[in-house]
Amino acid sequence: MRHAVQTSTFSKPKSSQATTPPSQSSEKKSLRKLLPNSRFFSGEDVCFSAVASSACEAVSGELVVYRIGEADPSQLMADAMARGAAGILTEQILPCPLPQCIVGDIDAAVADLTAQILERPDRKLLTIGVCGSAGKTTTALLIAQMLRSVGLRAAFQTDLGDSDGIVASTPSQPTPVSTDLIKWLADACDAEAKSAIIELSDLDAKYGRYDAIEFDLIVVTGSSLTDSDFGPSGFQCILDRLTKRGVVIASADEPNVVQTVLNHGARLLTYGVRKPADVSAKLIEQECGMSTILLT
């Protein structure tokens, strides 16, 4: 059962929509250092002050991002040169004298770039991912409430609602991924949150939309191995984002999930009602809407 998230009646100033904070805009950054696996054209590096929101709004020294199909490349090149852009981040070489950084996946590159510029906000707090076949939203909200009950300010991001640790709301947009998720984590850090609980999508995981962040804890609700197509499952991709000391909490009643975690070499804590588990529950009595459970 889903629970409504109360929307706060007050608000705080929103952070800048630019990828880099204003305080960092004057500091030159090297794309070769930030994206070492990329290739360069018309130069050995691109040193920039910030990432421009668009070519037509770029400021001298900023980096312009070109996404294939989203803008007229001729107009983008003209705007970038006219406004003194430091270079262009793109997936294909453009006929332009400006230095260009060529990457395989522009969205993944921008997310990685944003995470590094914002000094890895996912490493500044306890990052918890919740995945599985059912119950992700309820589980994420319960974890947030438990953390708050012990005095830890918790931010959460779910299909039903979100909070940066201070203000809770019911957004009309889907749960953010990639660059937007990293910016939200940075906002949670600014709000002095100590933890962030994120409802994860298996499909987004397969597309690499969480590749720029790491998780300290992954909670699996039910089964998360429903894929039958070629390649690793979304759950396996999520496990790849677990830190070296990270822990997975999964149901002992789902042996395929448990075996996948063990094969990955991750630390595992199990729960269950049918098979032996680290934390097990046994229903003793259920009467008049009340349940008596033995928790071991």
Side-chain angles (χ1 to χ4, degrees):
M1 181 176 66
R2 292 191 170 189
H3 303 275
V5 177
Q6 183 177 1
T7 303
S8 175
T9 57
F10 64 91
S11 61
K12 65 174 184 177
K14 293 184 178 180
S15 61
S16 170
Q17 295 300 313
T19 302
T20 55
S23 61
Q24 297 180 355
S25 60
S26 61
E27 180 185 350
K28 291 291 185 178
K29 306 167 186 65
S30 166
L31 269 185
R32 181 169 291 280
K33 291 182 179 179
L34 294 172
L35 302 176
N37 295 324
S38 56
R39 301 182 65 181
F40 291 86
F41 180 75
S42 295
E44 296 297 326
D45 195 0
V46 178
C47 294
F48 64 101
S49 59
V51 179
S53 57
S54 66
C56 61
E57 298 177 356
V59 176
S60 178
E62 289 188 337
L63 176 69
V64 170
V65 177
Y66 171 58
R67 290 180 169 84
I68 298 175
E70 289 190 6
D72 179 0
S74 298
Q75 185 62 51
L76 181 138
M77 289 184 291
D79 289 337
M81 288 188 291
R83 301 188 69 85
I88 301 174
L89 181 65
T90 175
E91 291 180 1
Q92 67 177 24
I93 297 176
L94 299 174
C96 176
L98 286 176
Q100 299 173 49
C101 178
I102 316 300
V103 295
D105 186 324
I106 194 70
D107 290 328
V110 172
D112 188 16
L113 189 61
T114 303
Q116 295 187 67
I117 291 175
L118 294 177
E119 299 178 348
R120 294 298 305 273
D122 58 309
R123 298 295 84 225
K124 296 179 181 179
L125 36 66
L126 179 68
T127 309
I128 303 172
V130 181
C131 63
S133 56
K136 295 188 294 293
T137 300
T138 300
T139 301
L141 294 175
L142 286 172
I143 293 173
Q145 181 58 42
M146 286 190 293
L147 291 173
R148 286 196 296 266
S149 68
V150 296
L152 291 178
R153 180 171 293 179
F156 59 84
Q157 190 66 248
T158 70
D159 286 340
L160 188 60
D162 64 62
S163 172
D164 60 3
I166 299 176
V167 180
S169 62
T170 51
S172 57
Q173 300 297 323
T175 304
V177 294
S178 298
T179 303
D180 290 337
L181 181 59
I182 294 165
K183 291 179 179 179
W184 173 80
L185 285 168
D187 289 340
C189 291
D190 291 341
E192 298 185 352
K194 302 302 181 184
S195 59
I197 303 95
I198 305 168
E199 181 178 340
L200 304 177
S201 161
D202 281 5
L203 185 60
D204 285 330
K206 291 187 69 172
Y207 287 147
R209 292 168 182 159
Y210 304 118
D211 285 0
I213 64 176
E214 291 181 304
F215 296 97
D216 301 293
L217 178 65
I218 293 175
V219 181
V220 187
T221 61
S223 174
S224 189
L225 296 175
T226 58
D227 295 340
S228 58
D229 57 347
F230 179 77
S233 67
F235 179 54
Q236 290 171 316
C237 294
I238 292 172
L239 286 178
D240 288 339
R241 305 315 308 153
L242 188 68
T243 63
K244 292 182 179 180
R245 299 183 62 186
V247 177
V248 178
I249 299 178
S251 172
D253 300 328
E254 297 290 342
N256 290 337
V257 173
V258 171
Q259 190 58 51
T260 300
V261 175
L262 295 176
N263 291 342
H264 191 272
R267 300 166 66 186
L268 176 65
L269 178 69
T270 59
Y271 65 90
V273 295
R274 294 188 298 273
K275 292 188 176 182
D278 297 312
V279 179
S280 60
K282 181 178 181 181
L283 181 63
I284 303 299
E285 185 180 13
Q286 194 169 29
E287 185 178 358
C288 299
M290 299 290 292
S291 298
T292 302
I293 297 176
L294 176 64
L295 187 65
T296 306

